[in-house]
Amino acid sequence: MSSLRLATVLFSVVLLFAFVNAEDPYRFFEWNVTYGAIYPVSSAFPQQVILINGQFPGPDIHAVTNDNLIINVFNNLDEPFLFSWNGVMQRRNSWQDGVYGTNCPILPGQNWTYTIQVKDQIGSFFYYPSLSFHKAAGGFGGIRILSRPRIPVPFPDPAGDHTLLIGDWYNLNHTRLRTILESKKAPSPSDVLINGKKSTPVGNAVTYTVQQGKTYRFRISNVGLQNSLNIRFQNHTMTLVEVEGTHTVQTNYTSLDIHVGQSYSVLVTADQLPRDYYMVVTTRFSTIRLEATALFSYSNSNGQIAGPVAPVEGVPDNYDIGFSLKQALSIRTNLTASGPRPNPQGSYHYGMINTTRTIRLSSSAAQVNGKQRYAINSVSFVAADTPLKLADKFKIPGVFTLGSIADSPSGRSMYLDTSVMAANFRDFVEIIFENPENMVQSYHVAGYSFFVVGMDGGVWSESKRERYNLADAVARCTIQVYPQSWTAIYVPLDNVGMWNIRSEFWARQYLGQQFYLRVYSPVESVRDEKVIPPNALLCGRASVFGPPPPPAVAPVSSISVAPVASPPR
């Protein structure tokens, strides 16, 4: 082992001792981030992508509720780099969220260790690179957080548990896309990939081999950049069982809309004749129809495919918003199921809590200084020279201003600012995402799981609350807003930190459709928020503060170690 690698491992152990709860196990990961040439679309068309340990997509993260993940990232790209963890709530720890508002980038040739606890979470999520449009080059992978052994799951163990990463894809590399975005609107994606491949009926398909009569779980994440996608398993039904950490009412679907940034878990039973069947992923609400396929192959199949990929009953028309809205409203929380803890999820009666604040967020698109920009409440976000979390910690003036984005649409012309909204710890807020545009939008709220209490067409008004679902609304972290429509969520602000609220349409996020929510507790206690990590990178105006003091080291005997050679069951 090289001296650098040995020093890195030892430092990771020190970090672990300082930050890990003694009763919770930890898992070590070492990731080498590089460029590599692969053939995601065609054997005749190589593309430069971002690999993790030589893999595209990257390796899955397998964990159990409350595990501590020690992820040592070596950046061997030629650009600064960060990972973010879509849906991991980072309880009391926005220091690890991995976006530029919270973290300094990992410089080329350097490494940094994330220390993340998947506290009080279960479910299906994904990670991705958050800077410089790197997401268009790959670097993403699945995250699964399993229940602790004594916590019941509301369905039998499946015969297999698979990660299915779907998303649109460009035939341009991320540096070229950045250059285009600096001068004009983003082009449309050229393809759709399933686990890194554009498989077609005659191509080298991603294949899942199944045994007749058995049931399989598929954790499906839309890791793309722009398009909502529809997925179906030819001649089979999907039973929805989990959405971004919430066990759902087990409803059957012949096809399922998954909007960009969202994750779903479905069960599929191999209950048809022993053949090969297509898994079909198609773009939705787009002018150009893109499609990719994989194979759901019975082990006793003779290799015959069940039929052509063609529209069938239950598959919506491309622009059928009503189908998608009705489906979204049918997704509800399973109130009889346990979550990360043994008490039922339904024991949290969110509908009986008075909201303390209403926030209305409206998107817009416009030219600012001759360039295409996107905004929320007229403010198009521009990154500061110092991560906002560090500026807040060290009380550095002039980096951002609280209240630089209004609680409701202002009617102003679009302008540029480092937009940060102030919020109080333990407030219970109502947020309405308003979409006056003619496209489906998708929003993510970092650090939280929120309740989707309502969505509909038209303009939101207070009278719409009469139709809110205040009993069994699904709790999740990423939500769609249909064209000329609104979506309302309830958010318990129980997680102190600096949290990114962003469009998951990546060109819009890159060009300003995001802001930060500063959830603040005046007590400033470690009970509410963890201290700055001892290995925190300091950049911009925070560089002058130097490294934080080293942590106290816990006794080795108090640390519980989980195996990492094989995933937990």
Side-chain angles (χ1 to χ4, degrees), residues 89 91 108 155 206 411 459 474 495 510:
M89 288 191 288
R91 302 292 301 174
F155 50 87
V206 174
V459 178
V474 69
N495 199 12
Y510 185 77

Side-chain angles (χ1 to χ4, degrees), residues 157-177:
D157 287 342
D161 193 338
H162 303 290
T163 295
L164 200 60
L165 302 178
I166 61 176
D168 50 20
W169 185 255
Y170 287 95
N171 59 16
L172 302 171
N173 67 32
H174 71 281
T175 56
R176 176 63 180 148
L177 285 167

Side-chain angles (χ1 to χ4, degrees), residues 508-528:
R508 296 177 76 103
Q509 178 269 355
Y510 185 77
L511 294 178
Q513 195 171 320
Q514 60 171 307
F515 70 96
Y516 283 82
L517 185 71
R518 178 188 183 252
V519 180
Y520 179 68
S521 170
V523 177
E524 296 188 356
S525 167
V526 293
R527 291 176 300 178
D528 298 334

Side-chain angles (χ1 to χ4, degrees), residues 154-313:
F155 50 87
D157 287 342
D161 193 338
H162 303 290
T163 295
L164 200 60
L165 302 178
I166 61 176
D168 50 20
W169 185 255
Y170 287 95
N171 59 16
L172 302 171
N173 67 32
H174 71 281
T175 56
R176 176 63 180 148
L177 285 167
R178 285 204 310 255
T179 301
I180 293 172
L181 287 173
E182 292 301 322
S183 58
K184 54 187 177 182
K185 293 181 180 180
S188 297
S190 56
D191 295 288
V192 170
L193 302 185
I194 300 175
N195 282 359
K197 290 184 179 181
K198 181 195 175 182
S199 305
T200 65
V202 294
N204 180 25
V206 174
T207 301
Y208 293 92
T209 302
V210 299
Q211 295 184 26
Q212 195 166 23
K214 292 192 175 181
T215 298
Y216 297 82
R217 181 174 185 172
F218 289 88
R219 301 170 185 265
I220 312 166
S221 294
N222 184 339
V223 298
L225 302 155
Q226 172 176 331
N227 283 289
S228 302
L229 299 173
N230 180 271
I231 187 168
R232 63 183 173 91
F233 287 68
Q234 188 182 25
N235 292 11
H236 294 74
T237 59
M238 297 172 286
T239 302
L240 183 66
V241 293
E242 177 253 330
V243 172
E244 296 164 8
T246 300
H247 291 306
T248 62
V249 173
Q250 295 179 16
T251 305
N252 292 332
Y253 300 95
T254 54
S255 73
L256 191 61
D257 281 350
I258 302 179
H259 304 275
V260 62
Q262 293 184 337
S263 298
Y264 290 78
S265 277
V266 299
L267 300 179
V268 181
T269 299
D271 56 4
Q272 299 297 307
L273 294 174
R275 295 179 179 175
D276 290 352
Y277 296 86
Y278 289 124
M279 300 160 58
V280 187
V281 176
T282 310
T283 52
R284 293 275 278 132
F285 320 117
S286 59
T287 55
I288 300 175
R289 186 179 186 274
L290 303 175
E291 184 177 273
T293 58
L295 287 180
F296 189 71
S297 176
Y298 283 57
S299 59
N300 54 343
S301 169
N302 60 8
Q304 179 182 0
I305 296 179
V309 178
V312 296
E313 184 179 354

Side-chain angles (χ1 to χ4, degrees), residues 365-383:
Q367 295 274 320
V368 179
N369 301 326
K371 294 185 178 182
Q372 181 65 45
R373 299 291 300 186
Y374 301 93
I376 299 175
N377 288 358
S378 299
V379 190
S380 186
F381 182 86
V382 289

